[in-house]
Amino acid sequence: MNRKTLTYADRERIFAKELITTAEISELWGMSLSDASILLQEIKSKFEAKFNKPLRCERRGKLHVQDYLEFFDLPRNNRYIEKQKEEGNGKCE
């Protein structure tokens, strides 16, 4: 597979939203949709045990961006945190 190099703007577009989709995980990791779906399911199945708390969103094919960042121990984007505070509690609706 020919992996597209993501730009900062591509990553910003993905992480600026509340939820990340299977297609966006596929794009981030440079993998097929099928493999991205498996990864998403794996994250969801291990999240609660790893952090002793529930996922913020249980919707099929989607994961809360903050859960993704926590799972992979990635730094938080300050702009995203401020946007989340403005919009509410960060829960999936």
Side-chain angles (χ1 to χ4, degrees):
M1 176 195 295
N2 228 355
R3 183 174 178 178
K4 174 190 169 197
T5 303
L6 294 181
T7 64
Y8 180 82
D10 292 331
R11 292 180 186 282
E12 187 176 58
R13 169 185 50 81
I14 292 170
F15 289 110
K17 302 180 303 168
E18 186 174 340
L19 301 176
I20 188 169
T21 66
T22 304
E24 291 164 335
I25 289 175
S26 170
E27 188 177 356
L28 283 169
W29 287 77
M31 59 176 50
S32 69
L33 282 174
S34 176
D35 289 341
S37 179
I38 291 168
L39 177 60
L40 181 68
Q41 290 170 15
E42 187 174 321
I43 293 168
K44 285 185 168 193
S45 70
K46 294 179 179 179
F47 188 88
E48 192 166 342
K50 184 173 181 176
F51 297 105
N52 198 29
K53 64 181 180 180
L55 288 163
R56 290 173 178 87
C57 181
E58 293 287 341
R59 291 174 60 189
R60 186 175 179 198
K62 297 184 187 247
L63 181 67
H64 196 281
V65 167
Q66 192 59 43
D67 291 343
Y68 179 92
L69 296 174
E70 285 178 22
F71 188 83
F72 290 108
D73 196 25
L74 298 171
R76 296 176 183 168
N77 179 322
N78 290 334
R79 191 172 63 106
Y80 173 74
I81 293 169
E82 292 304 315
K83 184 178 178 186
Q84 183 178 357
K85 286 179 185 174
E86 293 170 10
E87 292 177 356
N89 63 9
K91 292 284 185 184
C92 175
E93 296 177 12

